[in-house]
Amino acid sequence: MAKKPSQDFESTLKELEAIVTHLESGDLPLEDALNEFETAIKLVQQGQERLQKAEQRIQILLNKNDTAPLSDYERE
């Protein structure tokens, strides 16, 4: 599966899940499985980087107003 450079986190996760399902099927030749695994590793690294950036943004926002009370988000 080709990696798209501007994929959002959710698309990356969906692609990763598809690769895992494909690998778990056991129907791939070894070389194809290795290529899929390599793509999956790159996607995991991409996802981790996006999560780290999101965490940094949250920390920055919280530090700007550290007196703001935190509460659970409630859906309507």
Side-chain angles (χ1 to χ4, degrees), residues 42-59:
K42 290 176 184 176
L43 290 170
V44 167
Q45 291 169 341
Q46 249 184 350
Q48 286 176 332
E49 184 178 319
R50 286 196 177 98
L51 287 174
Q52 287 172 344
K53 286 181 181 181
E55 185 177 0
Q56 289 172 349
R57 286 178 62 193
I58 289 168
Q59 288 301 321

Side-chain angles (χ1 to χ4, degrees), residues 18-52:
I19 290 172
V20 169
T21 301
H22 202 198
L23 287 172
E24 287 178 339
S25 74
D27 296 332
L28 292 174
L30 179 60
E31 195 61 36
D32 291 344
L34 286 172
N35 288 334
E36 290 284 298
F37 183 75
E38 183 178 3
T39 301
I41 294 298
K42 290 176 184 176
L43 290 170
V44 167
Q45 291 169 341
Q46 249 184 350
Q48 286 176 332
E49 184 178 319
R50 286 196 177 98
L51 287 174
Q52 287 172 344

Side-chain angles (χ1 to χ4, degrees), residues 72-76:
D72 290 335
Y73 174 76
E74 295 181 24
R75 293 182 181 217
E76 295 178 10

Side-chain angles (χ1 to χ4, degrees), residues 1 7-21 43:
M1 292 189 179
Q7 264 183 318
D8 62 11
F9 180 78
E10 290 77 11
S11 298
T12 300
L13 189 58
K14 284 181 183 179
E15 186 174 349
L16 184 58
E17 288 171 345
I19 290 172
V20 169
T21 301
L43 290 170

